């Protein structure tokens, strides 16, 4: 029961982490840039934001964005962020599907529990890969933006990516660890029952002893 609760908790935490990664991927409020102080730029309506897909200018009653379509001319940190965040978002689909099929409440015929444990471990590994993609992207992007334009503050999208990365790391660790413990526990039980099965000869000897005593 405890192992099932851990598996369900790891699945829910991983889904929340994947959701955070997708929010960060689809939005452009990663970093806020300004030539002057942040408060000064807000008063002068010259606050700028940048994400993997667009460069935006925020002013009173106006939110204007310019898409970053020159793929070959973009800096390496933007191209890498795009590739990693898209990869992490896409890998979430098979990861969630595999984890759903390995839930204790779902059974596929007479499938042994060891097969479910292997699927859970595979899903946990995919969640770890998603976390790795989010970690590299959300760390490298603000560093690259700071060297290119001058970074003033972090945006909502970047915080969403950080939270999603942490949740994916935690969920992947829970799924991998609880499945490994469950598998070893079952192996020990099978070994224990095989030792019990080896005790069949003693009843036969006791029957022979009873017959000899009767004679």
């Amino acid at each position: 029961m405890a192992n099932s609760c851990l598996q369900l908790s790891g699945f829910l935490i991983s889904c929340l982490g994947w959701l955070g990664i997708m929010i960060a991927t689809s939005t452009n409020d990663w970093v806020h840039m300004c030539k002057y102080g942040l408060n000064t730029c807000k008063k002068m309506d010259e606050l700028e934001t940048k994400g993997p897909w667009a460069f935006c200018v925020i002013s009173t009653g106006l939110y204007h964005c310019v898409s970053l379509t020159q793929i070959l001319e973009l800096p390496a940190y933007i191209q890498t962020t795009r590739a990693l965040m898209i990869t992490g978002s896409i890998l979430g689909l098979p990861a969630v599907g595999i984890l759903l099929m390995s839930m204790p409440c779902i059974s596929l015929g007479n499938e042994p529990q060891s097969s479910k444990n292997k699927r859970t471990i595979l899903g946990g590994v995919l969640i770890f890969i998603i976390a790795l993609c989010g970690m590299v992207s959300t760390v490298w992007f603000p560093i690259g933006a700071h060297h290119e334009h001058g970074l003033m503050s972090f945006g909502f999208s970047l915080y969403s990516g950080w939270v999603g990365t942490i949740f994916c790391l935690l969920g992947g660790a829970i799924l991998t660890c609880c499945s490994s413990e469950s598998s070893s526990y079952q192996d020990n039980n099978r070994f224990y029952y095989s030792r019990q099965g080896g005790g069949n000869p003693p009843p036969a000897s006791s029957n022979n002893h009873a017959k000899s005593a009767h004679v």
Side-chain angles (χ1 to χ4, degrees), residues 145-159:
H146 174 68
H147 286 298
E148 185 179 8
H149 299 288
L151 175 65
M152 296 304 301
S153 64
F154 303 133
F156 166 77
S157 303
L158 199 60
Y159 287 115

Side-chain angles (χ1 to χ4, degrees), residues 31-152:
V31 293
H32 296 166
M33 298 170 295
C34 181
K35 299 177 182 178
Y36 316 103
L38 186 60
N39 294 329
T40 304
C41 285
K42 287 182 177 180
K43 292 179 181 179
M44 298 176 61
D45 291 336
E46 292 186 8
L47 186 61
E48 301 170 347
T49 65
K50 189 173 186 178
W53 311 103
F55 180 84
C56 303
V57 177
I58 303 175
S59 60
T60 304
L62 177 64
Y63 188 82
H64 177 68
C65 294
V66 177
S67 299
L68 303 176
T69 56
Q70 303 84 1
I71 298 177
L72 298 179
E73 299 178 3
L74 293 175
Y77 74 92
I78 295 180
Q79 296 184 14
T80 304
T81 298
R82 286 182 175 184
L84 291 177
M85 295 301 285
I86 291 176
T87 301
S89 299
I90 293 176
L91 283 179
L93 291 174
V96 170
I98 290 172
L99 292 175
L100 276 175
M101 289 189 297
S102 64
M103 289 288 106
C105 57
I106 297 177
S107 122
L108 302 177
N110 296 325
E111 184 182 29
Q113 184 64 32
S114 59
S115 299
K116 284 191 173 185
N117 294 333
K118 291 178 181 178
R119 278 205 304 270
T120 305
I121 293 175
L122 177 59
V125 171
L126 291 177
I127 295 297
F128 271 127
I129 296 176
I130 295 172
L132 181 61
C133 292
M135 182 185 303
V136 175
S137 300
T138 54
V139 170
W140 192 3
F141 190 92
I143 294 176
H146 174 68
H147 286 298
E148 185 179 8
H149 299 288
L151 175 65
M152 296 304 301

